[in-house]
Amino acid sequence: MMSDTSNIPASTPPVAVVSTQFCVGYPVDLTVTQKMMTLKHGTFGVTDVNGNIMFQINGKALSLHSRRVLLDAAGVPLVTFQQKMMTAHRRWQVFRGESTEPKDVIFSVRKSTVFQMKTKLEVFMAANTEENRCDFRIEGNWFETACVIYVGDTNDIIAQMHRKHSAQSILLGKDTFWVTVYPNVDHAFVVALIAILEEINEDRKQS
C-alpha cells in the first residue's frame, strides 16, 4: 500500500528542478517498475495510481559511460543522467534534455562517503559550485527497503520511497518501488533521483 498522505504538509516554497509543470498542490503517488512488460523500450516505467504511464527511463547501452534518459508520458526527453568517471564518490550528473554538455548540467548526485553501510546521497544544484552544503539528501537502508529525500541538512521531507518485493517480482527479475511525492514538489526530479539511487545500488551489488 502507498503511505498515508493525509498529514503531509505542502512544501514551501515549491521545489521545481526539472519543470514547474510537474509540481502540483497535492501528494502524488507513483509506482516505479523495472523492466515493465508494456514498454517497448526503456528500463523503468513510472505509473500513477490509475496505471497510466507518467515517465519512462531509457538506457544508452552503447554509451561509453552509464547513461539514462528520463522521458515524459509523450516520450519527450526531460533529462539525461550520466555517471562521471574517475570520481571517488560515484557522482552522477544530470543534464537538461538529451544534452551531456557541461553548460546544461542541472544538478549532480554523489555518495556522501566512499564506504557506506546505509544509503546516503547528496544532491547539489549546478549553481552550488562550492558544495559546502548539499541542496537535498537521500537517506535509507536497502535492507529496510525504504528511503527518504530531504531538503538540505534539514528534516523537511519532499518524497519517500518503499521497495516492494513479491513472488512475481522475484520470478521475473523485476523491482517495484512505491514513491510518494509531497505537494508542490517536482515529481520528475524525484523520479530521476530514485533512478540514480537504483543505479548506485546496482553498482554496489556488483562491486
Short mmCIF file of all heavy atoms in Angstrom, two decimals, residues 2 18-24 26-33 36 38-39 41 44-58 69-79 177 179-181 185-192:
data_model
loop_
_atom_site.label_atom_id
_atom_site.label_comp_id
_atom_site.label_asym_id
_atom_site.label_seq_id
_atom_site.Cartn_x
_atom_site.Cartn_y
_atom_site.Cartn_z
N MET A 2 0.32 2.34 -0.56
CA MET A 2 1.01 3.61 -0.50
C MET A 2 0.96 4.13 0.93
O MET A 2 0.11 3.74 1.73
CB MET A 2 0.34 4.63 -1.45
CG MET A 2 0.52 4.32 -2.91
SD MET A 2 2.22 4.55 -3.44
CE MET A 2 2.05 4.24 -5.19
N VAL A 18 13.22 20.11 -12.49
CA VAL A 18 13.10 19.80 -13.92
C VAL A 18 12.14 20.78 -14.58
O VAL A 18 12.45 21.40 -15.60
CB VAL A 18 12.63 18.34 -14.12
CG1 VAL A 18 12.41 18.05 -15.61
CG2 VAL A 18 13.66 17.38 -13.53
N SER A 19 10.94 20.93 -14.01
CA SER A 19 9.95 21.85 -14.56
C SER A 19 8.83 22.09 -13.55
O SER A 19 8.46 21.17 -12.80
CB SER A 19 9.35 21.29 -15.86
OG SER A 19 8.31 22.12 -16.33
N THR A 20 8.27 23.30 -13.56
CA THR A 20 7.13 23.61 -12.70
C THR A 20 5.89 22.81 -13.09
O THR A 20 4.98 22.67 -12.28
CB THR A 20 6.81 25.10 -12.75
OG1 THR A 20 6.58 25.49 -14.12
CG2 THR A 20 7.93 25.95 -12.18
N GLN A 21 5.84 22.30 -14.33
CA GLN A 21 4.67 21.55 -14.76
C GLN A 21 4.50 20.25 -13.98
O GLN A 21 3.42 19.67 -13.95
CB GLN A 21 4.74 21.24 -16.25
CG GLN A 21 5.68 20.10 -16.62
CD GLN A 21 5.73 19.81 -18.10
OE1 GLN A 21 6.49 20.42 -18.85
NE2 GLN A 21 4.91 18.88 -18.54
N PHE A 22 5.56 19.81 -13.30
CA PHE A 22 5.48 18.58 -12.52
C PHE A 22 5.30 18.86 -11.03
O PHE A 22 5.47 17.96 -10.20
CB PHE A 22 6.73 17.73 -12.74
CG PHE A 22 6.93 17.34 -14.18
CD1 PHE A 22 8.00 17.83 -14.91
CD2 PHE A 22 6.04 16.48 -14.81
CE1 PHE A 22 8.18 17.48 -16.24
CE2 PHE A 22 6.20 16.13 -16.14
CZ PHE A 22 7.28 16.62 -16.86
N CYS A 23 4.93 20.09 -10.70
CA CYS A 23 4.61 20.46 -9.32
C CYS A 23 3.10 20.66 -9.19
O CYS A 23 2.52 21.46 -9.93
CB CYS A 23 5.32 21.75 -8.93
SG CYS A 23 7.11 21.68 -8.94
N VAL A 24 2.47 19.94 -8.29
CA VAL A 24 1.04 20.08 -8.05
C VAL A 24 0.81 20.24 -6.55
O VAL A 24 1.67 19.88 -5.74
CB VAL A 24 0.24 18.86 -8.59
CG1 VAL A 24 0.33 18.79 -10.11
CG2 VAL A 24 0.75 17.57 -7.96
N TYR A 26 -0.85 18.79 -4.30
CA TYR A 26 -1.30 17.65 -3.50
C TYR A 26 -0.27 16.53 -3.64
O TYR A 26 0.54 16.53 -4.56
CB TYR A 26 -2.67 17.17 -3.99
CG TYR A 26 -2.75 16.96 -5.49
CD1 TYR A 26 -2.34 15.76 -6.09
CD2 TYR A 26 -3.23 17.97 -6.33
CE1 TYR A 26 -2.40 15.58 -7.46
CE2 TYR A 26 -3.29 17.80 -7.70
CZ TYR A 26 -2.88 16.60 -8.26
OH TYR A 26 -2.93 16.43 -9.62
N PRO A 27 -0.27 15.56 -2.71
CA PRO A 27 0.69 14.46 -2.81
C PRO A 27 0.45 13.63 -4.08
O PRO A 27 -0.70 13.44 -4.49
CB PRO A 27 0.42 13.62 -1.55
CG PRO A 27 -0.31 14.53 -0.64
CD PRO A 27 -1.10 15.46 -1.50
N VAL A 28 1.54 13.15 -4.67
CA VAL A 28 1.46 12.31 -5.87
C VAL A 28 2.06 10.95 -5.54
O VAL A 28 3.21 10.87 -5.09
CB VAL A 28 2.21 12.96 -7.05
CG1 VAL A 28 2.23 12.01 -8.25
CG2 VAL A 28 1.56 14.28 -7.43
N ASP A 29 1.27 9.90 -5.74
CA ASP A 29 1.75 8.53 -5.54
C ASP A 29 2.11 7.93 -6.89
O ASP A 29 1.30 7.94 -7.82
CB ASP A 29 0.69 7.67 -4.86
CG ASP A 29 0.51 8.02 -3.39
OD1 ASP A 29 1.50 8.41 -2.76
OD2 ASP A 29 -0.62 7.91 -2.88
N LEU A 30 3.32 7.41 -6.99
CA LEU A 30 3.81 6.81 -8.23
C LEU A 30 4.31 5.40 -7.96
O LEU A 30 4.74 5.08 -6.86
CB LEU A 30 4.96 7.65 -8.80
CG LEU A 30 4.66 9.11 -9.15
CD1 LEU A 30 5.95 9.84 -9.50
CD2 LEU A 30 3.67 9.20 -10.31
N THR A 31 4.23 4.58 -8.99
CA THR A 31 4.81 3.24 -8.94
C THR A 31 5.89 3.15 -9.99
O THR A 31 5.65 3.44 -11.17
CB THR A 31 3.75 2.15 -9.20
OG1 THR A 31 2.72 2.24 -8.21
CG2 THR A 31 4.38 0.77 -9.13
N VAL A 32 7.10 2.81 -9.58
CA VAL A 32 8.24 2.68 -10.49
C VAL A 32 8.54 1.20 -10.65
O VAL A 32 8.84 0.51 -9.68
CB VAL A 32 9.47 3.42 -9.94
CG1 VAL A 32 10.62 3.35 -10.94
CG2 VAL A 32 9.14 4.87 -9.61
N THR A 33 8.46 0.70 -11.88
CA THR A 33 8.66 -0.72 -12.14
C THR A 33 9.82 -0.92 -13.10
O THR A 33 9.84 -0.33 -14.18
CB THR A 33 7.40 -1.37 -12.74
OG1 THR A 33 6.30 -1.15 -11.87
CG2 THR A 33 7.61 -2.87 -12.94
N MET A 36 9.40 -3.01 -17.11
CA MET A 36 7.95 -3.10 -17.28
C MET A 36 7.62 -3.74 -18.63
O MET A 36 8.12 -3.31 -19.66
CB MET A 36 7.31 -1.72 -17.17
CG MET A 36 5.79 -1.71 -17.33
SD MET A 36 5.10 -0.06 -17.16
CE MET A 36 5.30 0.21 -15.41
N THR A 38 5.03 -3.69 -20.51
CA THR A 38 4.27 -2.94 -21.51
C THR A 38 5.11 -1.91 -22.25
O THR A 38 4.64 -1.30 -23.21
CB THR A 38 3.08 -2.22 -20.84
OG1 THR A 38 3.59 -1.39 -19.78
CG2 THR A 38 2.10 -3.23 -20.27
N LEU A 39 6.35 -1.70 -21.84
CA LEU A 39 7.21 -0.74 -22.50
C LEU A 39 7.94 -1.38 -23.67
O LEU A 39 8.53 -2.44 -23.54
CB LEU A 39 8.24 -0.17 -21.52
CG LEU A 39 7.73 0.70 -20.38
CD1 LEU A 39 8.91 1.16 -19.52
CD2 LEU A 39 6.95 1.89 -20.88
N HIS A 41 10.47 0.15 -25.12
CA HIS A 41 11.86 0.48 -24.84
C HIS A 41 11.92 0.96 -23.39
O HIS A 41 10.94 1.33 -22.80
CB HIS A 41 12.36 1.60 -25.77
CG HIS A 41 12.14 1.30 -27.22
ND1 HIS A 41 12.91 0.39 -27.93
CD2 HIS A 41 11.24 1.79 -28.09
CE1 HIS A 41 12.49 0.34 -29.17
NE2 HIS A 41 11.47 1.17 -29.31
N PHE A 44 12.89 1.37 -16.98
CA PHE A 44 11.93 1.64 -15.92
C PHE A 44 10.67 2.26 -16.51
O PHE A 44 10.74 3.06 -17.44
CB PHE A 44 12.49 2.64 -14.90
CG PHE A 44 13.57 2.09 -14.02
CD1 PHE A 44 14.90 2.18 -14.39
CD2 PHE A 44 13.27 1.50 -12.80
CE1 PHE A 44 15.91 1.69 -13.58
CE2 PHE A 44 14.27 1.00 -11.99
CZ PHE A 44 15.59 1.09 -12.37
N GLY A 45 9.53 1.91 -15.94
CA GLY A 45 8.28 2.58 -16.25
C GLY A 45 7.69 3.16 -14.98
O GLY A 45 7.76 2.54 -13.93
N VAL A 46 7.13 4.37 -15.06
CA VAL A 46 6.56 5.04 -13.90
C VAL A 46 5.09 5.30 -14.18
O VAL A 46 4.75 5.95 -15.18
CB VAL A 46 7.29 6.36 -13.60
CG1 VAL A 46 6.73 7.01 -12.34
CG2 VAL A 46 8.79 6.13 -13.46
N THR A 47 4.22 4.81 -13.31
CA THR A 47 2.79 4.95 -13.49
C THR A 47 2.16 5.67 -12.31
O THR A 47 2.70 5.68 -11.20
CB THR A 47 2.11 3.58 -13.66
OG1 THR A 47 2.42 2.76 -12.52
CG2 THR A 47 2.60 2.87 -14.91
N ASP A 48 0.98 6.26 -12.55
CA ASP A 48 0.22 6.87 -11.46
C ASP A 48 -0.67 5.82 -10.81
O ASP A 48 -0.59 4.63 -11.13
CB ASP A 48 -0.58 8.09 -11.96
CG ASP A 48 -1.63 7.72 -13.01
OD1 ASP A 48 -1.95 6.52 -13.18
OD2 ASP A 48 -2.14 8.64 -13.66
N VAL A 49 -1.55 6.26 -9.90
CA VAL A 49 -2.39 5.31 -9.15
C VAL A 49 -3.39 4.60 -10.06
O VAL A 49 -3.92 3.54 -9.68
CB VAL A 49 -3.13 6.02 -8.01
CG1 VAL A 49 -2.14 6.49 -6.95
CG2 VAL A 49 -3.96 7.20 -8.52
N ASN A 50 -3.65 5.16 -11.25
CA ASN A 50 -4.59 4.53 -12.18
C ASN A 50 -3.89 3.67 -13.22
O ASN A 50 -4.54 3.15 -14.13
CB ASN A 50 -5.41 5.62 -12.89
CG ASN A 50 -6.27 6.41 -11.92
OD1 ASN A 50 -6.94 5.82 -11.06
ND2 ASN A 50 -6.26 7.72 -12.04
N GLY A 51 -2.57 3.52 -13.10
CA GLY A 51 -1.82 2.69 -14.04
C GLY A 51 -1.41 3.40 -15.31
O GLY A 51 -0.90 2.75 -16.24
N ASN A 52 -1.61 4.71 -15.39
CA ASN A 52 -1.21 5.47 -16.57
C ASN A 52 0.29 5.75 -16.55
O ASN A 52 0.84 6.12 -15.52
CB ASN A 52 -1.96 6.81 -16.63
CG ASN A 52 -3.46 6.63 -16.69
OD1 ASN A 52 -3.97 5.85 -17.49
ND2 ASN A 52 -4.18 7.34 -15.84
N ILE A 53 0.94 5.58 -17.70
CA ILE A 53 2.36 5.86 -17.80
C ILE A 53 2.61 7.36 -17.61
O ILE A 53 2.02 8.20 -18.29
CB ILE A 53 2.93 5.42 -19.16
CG1 ILE A 53 2.89 3.90 -19.29
CG2 ILE A 53 4.36 5.92 -19.34
CD1 ILE A 53 3.91 3.18 -18.45
N MET A 54 3.48 7.69 -16.66
CA MET A 54 3.85 9.08 -16.41
C MET A 54 5.24 9.39 -16.97
O MET A 54 5.47 10.45 -17.54
CB MET A 54 3.83 9.35 -14.90
CG MET A 54 2.49 9.15 -14.24
SD MET A 54 1.34 10.46 -14.64
CE MET A 54 2.05 11.82 -13.71
N PHE A 55 6.16 8.45 -16.79
CA PHE A 55 7.54 8.61 -17.25
C PHE A 55 8.07 7.24 -17.63
O PHE A 55 7.55 6.21 -17.22
CB PHE A 55 8.45 9.18 -16.15
CG PHE A 55 7.99 10.46 -15.54
CD1 PHE A 55 7.32 10.46 -14.32
CD2 PHE A 55 8.24 11.68 -16.15
CE1 PHE A 55 6.89 11.63 -13.73
CE2 PHE A 55 7.82 12.86 -15.57
CZ PHE A 55 7.14 12.84 -14.36
N GLN A 56 9.15 7.24 -18.41
CA GLN A 56 9.93 6.04 -18.60
C GLN A 56 11.40 6.42 -18.68
O GLN A 56 11.74 7.57 -18.99
CB GLN A 56 9.52 5.24 -19.83
CG GLN A 56 9.65 5.95 -21.16
CD GLN A 56 9.31 5.02 -22.32
OE1 GLN A 56 9.91 3.96 -22.46
NE2 GLN A 56 8.35 5.41 -23.13
N ILE A 57 12.25 5.49 -18.34
CA ILE A 57 13.68 5.74 -18.31
C ILE A 57 14.36 4.78 -19.26
O ILE A 57 14.24 3.56 -19.12
CB ILE A 57 14.24 5.58 -16.89
CG1 ILE A 57 13.56 6.58 -15.94
CG2 ILE A 57 15.75 5.77 -16.88
CD1 ILE A 57 13.78 6.30 -14.49
N ASN A 58 15.03 5.33 -20.26
CA ASN A 58 15.73 4.54 -21.25
C ASN A 58 17.21 4.49 -20.94
O ASN A 58 17.78 5.46 -20.44
CB ASN A 58 15.53 5.12 -22.66
CG ASN A 58 14.13 4.89 -23.17
OD1 ASN A 58 13.32 4.26 -22.52
ND2 ASN A 58 13.84 5.42 -24.35
N VAL A 69 18.10 8.23 -19.89
CA VAL A 69 17.31 9.38 -20.29
C VAL A 69 15.91 9.23 -19.70
O VAL A 69 15.28 8.18 -19.86
CB VAL A 69 17.21 9.51 -21.83
CG1 VAL A 69 16.37 10.73 -22.21
CG2 VAL A 69 18.60 9.60 -22.45
N LEU A 70 15.46 10.28 -18.99
CA LEU A 70 14.10 10.30 -18.44
C LEU A 70 13.17 10.96 -19.44
O LEU A 70 13.40 12.09 -19.87
CB LEU A 70 14.10 11.08 -17.12
CG LEU A 70 12.72 11.30 -16.46
CD1 LEU A 70 12.12 9.98 -16.03
CD2 LEU A 70 12.85 12.25 -15.27
N LEU A 71 12.13 10.22 -19.84
CA LEU A 71 11.15 10.71 -20.82
C LEU A 71 9.82 10.94 -20.14
O LEU A 71 9.45 10.23 -19.19
CB LEU A 71 10.96 9.67 -21.94
CG LEU A 71 12.23 9.11 -22.59
CD1 LEU A 71 11.87 7.96 -23.52
CD2 LEU A 71 12.97 10.18 -23.35
N ASP A 72 9.05 11.91 -20.65
CA ASP A 72 7.71 12.10 -20.12
C ASP A 72 6.75 11.12 -20.77
O ASP A 72 7.16 10.23 -21.55
CB ASP A 72 7.24 13.55 -20.27
CG ASP A 72 7.02 13.97 -21.73
OD1 ASP A 72 7.05 13.10 -22.63
OD2 ASP A 72 6.82 15.18 -21.97
N ALA A 73 5.45 11.24 -20.47
CA ALA A 73 4.46 10.28 -20.97
C ALA A 73 4.38 10.27 -22.49
O ALA A 73 4.03 9.25 -23.09
CB ALA A 73 3.09 10.60 -20.37
N ALA A 74 4.71 11.40 -23.13
CA ALA A 74 4.66 11.50 -24.59
C ALA A 74 5.97 11.08 -25.24
O ALA A 74 6.09 11.13 -26.47
CB ALA A 74 4.31 12.93 -25.00
N GLY A 75 6.95 10.67 -24.44
CA GLY A 75 8.24 10.26 -24.99
C GLY A 75 9.22 11.39 -25.21
O GLY A 75 10.24 11.22 -25.89
N VAL A 76 8.93 12.57 -24.66
CA VAL A 76 9.83 13.72 -24.81
C VAL A 76 10.94 13.64 -23.76
O VAL A 76 10.66 13.49 -22.57
CB VAL A 76 9.05 15.04 -24.63
CG1 VAL A 76 10.00 16.23 -24.69
CG2 VAL A 76 7.96 15.16 -25.69
N PRO A 77 12.21 13.72 -24.17
CA PRO A 77 13.32 13.66 -23.20
C PRO A 77 13.29 14.86 -22.26
O PRO A 77 13.19 16.01 -22.70
CB PRO A 77 14.57 13.69 -24.08
CG PRO A 77 14.10 13.27 -25.45
CD PRO A 77 12.70 13.77 -25.57
N LEU A 78 13.33 14.59 -20.97
CA LEU A 78 13.34 15.65 -19.96
C LEU A 78 14.74 15.91 -19.45
O LEU A 78 15.20 17.05 -19.44
CB LEU A 78 12.43 15.27 -18.78
CG LEU A 78 10.95 15.07 -19.11
CD1 LEU A 78 10.22 14.54 -17.89
CD2 LEU A 78 10.33 16.37 -19.60
N VAL A 79 15.41 14.85 -19.01
CA VAL A 79 16.79 14.98 -18.52
C VAL A 79 17.58 13.74 -18.90
O VAL A 79 17.02 12.67 -19.12
CB VAL A 79 16.85 15.17 -16.99
CG1 VAL A 79 16.18 16.46 -16.55
CG2 VAL A 79 16.26 13.98 -16.25
N PHE A 177 8.94 -0.06 -6.97
CA PHE A 177 9.06 0.92 -5.90
C PHE A 177 7.76 1.71 -5.81
O PHE A 177 7.17 2.08 -6.82
CB PHE A 177 10.20 1.92 -6.16
CG PHE A 177 11.46 1.29 -6.66
CD1 PHE A 177 11.78 1.32 -8.01
CD2 PHE A 177 12.33 0.68 -5.79
CE1 PHE A 177 12.95 0.76 -8.48
CE2 PHE A 177 13.51 0.11 -6.25
CZ PHE A 177 13.82 0.14 -7.59
N VAL A 179 6.46 5.29 -4.57
CA VAL A 179 7.01 6.60 -4.27
C VAL A 179 5.88 7.57 -3.97
O VAL A 179 4.93 7.68 -4.74
CB VAL A 179 7.84 7.14 -5.46
CG1 VAL A 179 8.45 8.50 -5.11
CG2 VAL A 179 8.93 6.16 -5.85
N THR A 180 5.98 8.27 -2.85
CA THR A 180 5.06 9.34 -2.51
C THR A 180 5.81 10.65 -2.60
O THR A 180 6.78 10.87 -1.86
CB THR A 180 4.47 9.18 -1.10
OG1 THR A 180 3.70 7.98 -1.04
CG2 THR A 180 3.57 10.36 -0.75
N VAL A 181 5.38 11.53 -3.53
CA VAL A 181 5.98 12.84 -3.71
C VAL A 181 5.11 13.87 -2.99
O VAL A 181 3.89 13.90 -3.20
CB VAL A 181 6.10 13.19 -5.21
CG1 VAL A 181 6.82 14.53 -5.39
CG2 VAL A 181 6.82 12.08 -5.97
N VAL A 185 6.15 19.54 -5.04
CA VAL A 185 7.49 19.03 -5.31
C VAL A 185 7.51 18.42 -6.72
O VAL A 185 6.61 17.67 -7.10
CB VAL A 185 7.91 17.97 -4.28
CG1 VAL A 185 9.24 17.33 -4.67
CG2 VAL A 185 8.02 18.60 -2.89
N ASP A 186 8.50 18.77 -7.48
CA ASP A 186 8.69 18.32 -8.86
C ASP A 186 8.85 16.79 -8.89
O ASP A 186 9.88 16.26 -8.49
CB ASP A 186 9.95 19.02 -9.39
CG ASP A 186 10.27 18.71 -10.83
OD1 ASP A 186 9.79 17.70 -11.36
OD2 ASP A 186 11.04 19.49 -11.43
N HIS A 187 7.81 16.08 -9.35
CA HIS A 187 7.90 14.62 -9.30
C HIS A 187 8.81 14.04 -10.40
O HIS A 187 9.28 12.92 -10.26
CB HIS A 187 6.53 13.93 -9.29
CG HIS A 187 5.49 14.48 -10.20
ND1 HIS A 187 4.71 15.57 -9.88
CD2 HIS A 187 5.05 14.06 -11.40
CE1 HIS A 187 3.86 15.80 -10.86
NE2 HIS A 187 4.05 14.91 -11.81
N ALA A 188 9.11 14.80 -11.45
CA ALA A 188 10.10 14.34 -12.42
C ALA A 188 11.49 14.34 -11.77
O ALA A 188 12.30 13.42 -11.99
CB ALA A 188 10.10 15.23 -13.65
N PHE A 189 11.76 15.34 -10.95
CA PHE A 189 13.02 15.42 -10.21
C PHE A 189 13.16 14.22 -9.27
O PHE A 189 14.21 13.57 -9.21
CB PHE A 189 13.05 16.74 -9.42
CG PHE A 189 14.17 16.87 -8.43
CD1 PHE A 189 15.49 16.73 -8.81
CD2 PHE A 189 13.89 17.18 -7.10
CE1 PHE A 189 16.53 16.88 -7.89
CE2 PHE A 189 14.92 17.32 -6.17
CZ PHE A 189 16.24 17.18 -6.57
N VAL A 190 12.09 13.89 -8.56
CA VAL A 190 12.11 12.78 -7.62
C VAL A 190 12.34 11.45 -8.35
O VAL A 190 13.13 10.61 -7.91
CB VAL A 190 10.81 12.73 -6.79
CG1 VAL A 190 10.72 11.44 -5.98
CG2 VAL A 190 10.72 13.94 -5.88
N VAL A 191 11.68 11.26 -9.49
CA VAL A 191 11.86 10.03 -10.26
C VAL A 191 13.32 9.90 -10.72
O VAL A 191 13.90 8.81 -10.68
CB VAL A 191 10.90 9.99 -11.46
CG1 VAL A 191 11.27 8.86 -12.43
CG2 VAL A 191 9.46 9.82 -10.98
N ALA A 192 13.92 11.00 -11.16
CA ALA A 192 15.33 10.97 -11.57
C ALA A 192 16.22 10.56 -10.40
O ALA A 192 17.14 9.75 -10.57
CB ALA A 192 15.75 12.33 -12.12
#
